[in-house]
Amino acid sequence: MKVIAIPQLSDNYAYLIIDPATREAGIVDCAEVAPILEAVDREGATLTAILPTHHHFDHVGGNEELLAARPGLTVYGFDDRVPGLTDRVGHGDRVRVGSLEAEVLSIPAHTTGHIAYYFEREHAVFTGDTLFAGGCGRLFEGDAAMMIASLRKLRDLPDDTKVYFGHEYTVKNLDFALTLEPQNRVLRDKRAWAATTTGDGGYTTPTTIASEKDTNPFFRWQSPELRATLAAKFPDLPMEDVAVFAKTRQLKDNF
Ligand code: ZN
Ligand code: FE
């Protein structure tokens, strides 16, 4: 499987997935069509499917235009709010791009219909706005308990799974993470790497499940240092998973 990250709008990523065996391709999220078709043509690929993670405009805003340009595309999705939806899929269902296969994971909370595409054989997952490098999505249509359940499904994937996320928010996410775990050396190193990488015009995608376990405060609600930081600032905060996660999310909302 070849994956090409295609910047969209100000800080979004769409991902072109190409099956080397058949040259068939799918696009995970689509906001701006021109750079996507440019990549498809440059790769000599045939686009067969759109794989939207959720219905927000910056992830599906280009669907109708892409369908007009390449009629007959399969548009997967769980949420009826996805424009052009042709194949409704739910948790555990399978989607195909050429000979590549992914399992659909239902990961609600940013939106109720948010899904991920998990390519088991390739150890790759596309997480949209649920899991970012160093962060997670805002809770627009769910609560902290729902988001923890969604993130657990991702955290349970193999450590070496590559995580392709929806926005280049990494440096700011890691700056926030450092306010909670200033002594986390892996986190400090990753923040420095991310700043250098994006400063040079590069991308921090993909990350891995292992790296997120080490650095992402929204995977680390059990971290002693994170809990100690919160306990010092909020003496009345109950030290249990949902409360710790909810407080972390609330602080990030205002960071
Ligand atoms: Zn979104
Ligand atoms: Fe988004």
Side-chain angles (χ1 to χ4, degrees), residues 12 54 56 58-59 110 129 132 166-167 169:
N12 279 82
H54 66 296
H56 284 160
D58 56 320
H59 301 261
H110 178 66
D129 286 359
F132 302 121
H167 287 267
Y169 291 158

PDB file of all heavy atoms in Angstrom, residues 12 54 56 58-59 110 129 132 166-167 169, ligand 2:
ATOM      1  N   ASN A  12      -5.470  20.728   6.965  1.00  0.00           N
ATOM      2  CA  ASN A  12      -6.013  19.369   6.824  1.00  0.00           C
ATOM      3  C   ASN A  12      -5.105  18.485   5.983  1.00  0.00           C
ATOM      4  O   ASN A  12      -4.331  18.974   5.162  1.00  0.00           O
ATOM      5  CB  ASN A  12      -7.374  19.396   6.125  1.00  0.00           C
ATOM      6  CG  ASN A  12      -8.513  19.734   7.051  1.00  0.00           C
ATOM      7  OD1 ASN A  12      -8.765  20.902   7.331  1.00  0.00           O
ATOM      8  ND2 ASN A  12      -9.208  18.706   7.525  1.00  0.00           N
ATOM      9  N   HIS A  54     -15.575  11.527   8.628  1.00  0.00           N
ATOM     10  CA  HIS A  54     -16.761  12.123   9.271  1.00  0.00           C
ATOM     11  C   HIS A  54     -17.270  13.259   8.396  1.00  0.00           C
ATOM     12  O   HIS A  54     -16.637  13.633   7.416  1.00  0.00           O
ATOM     13  CB  HIS A  54     -16.461  12.572  10.700  1.00  0.00           C
ATOM     14  CG  HIS A  54     -15.479  13.697  10.847  1.00  0.00           C
ATOM     15  ND1 HIS A  54     -14.154  13.592  10.457  1.00  0.00           N
ATOM     16  CD2 HIS A  54     -15.611  14.957  11.342  1.00  0.00           C
ATOM     17  CE1 HIS A  54     -13.528  14.731  10.718  1.00  0.00           C
ATOM     18  NE2 HIS A  54     -14.386  15.582  11.240  1.00  0.00           N
ATOM     19  N   HIS A  56     -17.757  16.516   8.624  1.00  0.00           N
ATOM     20  CA  HIS A  56     -17.393  17.941   8.660  1.00  0.00           C
ATOM     21  C   HIS A  56     -16.868  18.404   7.300  1.00  0.00           C
ATOM     22  O   HIS A  56     -16.188  17.660   6.589  1.00  0.00           O
ATOM     23  CB  HIS A  56     -16.363  18.218   9.756  1.00  0.00           C
ATOM     24  CG  HIS A  56     -16.970  18.238  11.128  1.00  0.00           C
ATOM     25  ND1 HIS A  56     -16.236  18.069  12.270  1.00  0.00           N
ATOM     26  CD2 HIS A  56     -18.264  18.420  11.524  1.00  0.00           C
ATOM     27  CE1 HIS A  56     -17.040  18.142  13.334  1.00  0.00           C
ATOM     28  NE2 HIS A  56     -18.266  18.343  12.897  1.00  0.00           N
ATOM     29  N   ASP A  58     -14.504  20.254   6.243  1.00  0.00           N
ATOM     30  CA  ASP A  58     -13.080  20.177   5.878  1.00  0.00           C
ATOM     31  C   ASP A  58     -12.629  18.743   5.586  1.00  0.00           C
ATOM     32  O   ASP A  58     -11.463  18.510   5.271  1.00  0.00           O
ATOM     33  CB  ASP A  58     -12.195  20.831   6.959  1.00  0.00           C
ATOM     34  CG  ASP A  58     -12.399  20.236   8.345  1.00  0.00           C
ATOM     35  OD1 ASP A  58     -13.551  19.947   8.720  1.00  0.00           O
ATOM     36  OD2 ASP A  58     -11.387  20.071   9.059  1.00  0.00           O
ATOM     37  N   HIS A  59     -13.561  17.775   5.657  1.00  0.00           N
ATOM     38  CA  HIS A  59     -13.249  16.377   5.339  1.00  0.00           C
ATOM     39  C   HIS A  59     -14.084  15.823   4.178  1.00  0.00           C
ATOM     40  O   HIS A  59     -13.723  14.803   3.604  1.00  0.00           O
ATOM     41  CB  HIS A  59     -13.425  15.511   6.588  1.00  0.00           C
ATOM     42  CG  HIS A  59     -12.542  15.953   7.712  1.00  0.00           C
ATOM     43  ND1 HIS A  59     -11.348  15.342   8.016  1.00  0.00           N
ATOM     44  CD2 HIS A  59     -12.647  17.012   8.559  1.00  0.00           C
ATOM     45  CE1 HIS A  59     -10.760  15.996   9.018  1.00  0.00           C
ATOM     46  NE2 HIS A  59     -11.538  17.003   9.361  1.00  0.00           N
ATOM     47  N   HIS A 110     -16.248  13.096  18.591  1.00  0.00           N
ATOM     48  CA  HIS A 110     -16.068  14.349  17.833  1.00  0.00           C
ATOM     49  C   HIS A 110     -17.353  14.597  17.045  1.00  0.00           C
ATOM     50  O   HIS A 110     -17.917  15.686  17.078  1.00  0.00           O
ATOM     51  CB  HIS A 110     -14.857  14.214  16.913  1.00  0.00           C
ATOM     52  CG  HIS A 110     -14.589  15.398  16.042  1.00  0.00           C
ATOM     53  ND1 HIS A 110     -14.204  16.616  16.536  1.00  0.00           N
ATOM     54  CD2 HIS A 110     -14.658  15.557  14.698  1.00  0.00           C
ATOM     55  CE1 HIS A 110     -14.041  17.479  15.531  1.00  0.00           C
ATOM     56  NE2 HIS A 110     -14.317  16.863  14.404  1.00  0.00           N
ATOM     57  N   ASP A 129     -10.535  13.192  12.714  1.00  0.00           N
ATOM     58  CA  ASP A 129     -10.430  14.157  13.810  1.00  0.00           C
ATOM     59  C   ASP A 129     -10.673  13.521  15.175  1.00  0.00           C
ATOM     60  O   ASP A 129     -11.044  14.204  16.130  1.00  0.00           O
ATOM     61  CB  ASP A 129     -11.437  15.303  13.622  1.00  0.00           C
ATOM     62  CG  ASP A 129     -11.016  16.262  12.522  1.00  0.00           C
ATOM     63  OD1 ASP A 129      -9.947  16.058  11.921  1.00  0.00           O
ATOM     64  OD2 ASP A 129     -11.773  17.219  12.264  1.00  0.00           O
ATOM     65  N   PHE A 132      -5.272  12.695  16.864  1.00  0.00           N
ATOM     66  CA  PHE A 132      -4.195  13.425  16.197  1.00  0.00           C
ATOM     67  C   PHE A 132      -2.869  13.036  16.851  1.00  0.00           C
ATOM     68  O   PHE A 132      -2.856  12.468  17.941  1.00  0.00           O
ATOM     69  CB  PHE A 132      -4.373  14.944  16.380  1.00  0.00           C
ATOM     70  CG  PHE A 132      -5.665  15.499  15.872  1.00  0.00           C
ATOM     71  CD1 PHE A 132      -6.533  16.157  16.731  1.00  0.00           C
ATOM     72  CD2 PHE A 132      -6.019  15.381  14.531  1.00  0.00           C
ATOM     73  CE1 PHE A 132      -7.722  16.701  16.278  1.00  0.00           C
ATOM     74  CE2 PHE A 132      -7.212  15.920  14.076  1.00  0.00           C
ATOM     75  CZ  PHE A 132      -8.063  16.578  14.939  1.00  0.00           C
ATOM     76  N   GLY A 166      -6.056  13.715  10.758  1.00  0.00           N
ATOM     77  CA  GLY A 166      -6.743  14.678   9.912  1.00  0.00           C
ATOM     78  C   GLY A 166      -6.207  16.098   9.859  1.00  0.00           C
ATOM     79  O   GLY A 166      -6.541  16.844   8.934  1.00  0.00           O
ATOM     80  N   HIS A 167      -5.405  16.499  10.840  1.00  0.00           N
ATOM     81  CA  HIS A 167      -4.917  17.890  10.864  1.00  0.00           C
ATOM     82  C   HIS A 167      -3.472  17.952  11.345  1.00  0.00           C
ATOM     83  O   HIS A 167      -3.083  17.204  12.251  1.00  0.00           O
ATOM     84  CB  HIS A 167      -5.749  18.745  11.837  1.00  0.00           C
ATOM     85  CG  HIS A 167      -7.124  19.068  11.363  1.00  0.00           C
ATOM     86  ND1 HIS A 167      -7.429  20.213  10.669  1.00  0.00           N
ATOM     87  CD2 HIS A 167      -8.292  18.395  11.511  1.00  0.00           C
ATOM     88  CE1 HIS A 167      -8.732  20.239  10.413  1.00  0.00           C
ATOM     89  NE2 HIS A 167      -9.287  19.139  10.907  1.00  0.00           N
ATOM     90  N   TYR A 169      -1.751  19.528  13.602  1.00  0.00           N
ATOM     91  CA  TYR A 169      -1.842  20.298  14.843  1.00  0.00           C
ATOM     92  C   TYR A 169      -0.706  19.922  15.807  1.00  0.00           C
ATOM     93  O   TYR A 169      -0.738  20.289  16.987  1.00  0.00           O
ATOM     94  CB  TYR A 169      -3.156  19.967  15.585  1.00  0.00           C
ATOM     95  CG  TYR A 169      -4.450  20.432  14.965  1.00  0.00           C
ATOM     96  CD1 TYR A 169      -5.650  19.798  15.299  1.00  0.00           C
ATOM     97  CD2 TYR A 169      -4.501  21.519  14.100  1.00  0.00           C
ATOM     98  CE1 TYR A 169      -6.865  20.216  14.770  1.00  0.00           C
ATOM     99  CE2 TYR A 169      -5.717  21.940  13.564  1.00  0.00           C
ATOM    100  CZ  TYR A 169      -6.889  21.285  13.909  1.00  0.00           C
ATOM    101  OH  TYR A 169      -8.097  21.706  13.393  1.00  0.00           O
TER     102      TYR A 169
HETATM  103 FE    FE B   2     -11.390  18.547  10.765  1.00  0.00          FE
END
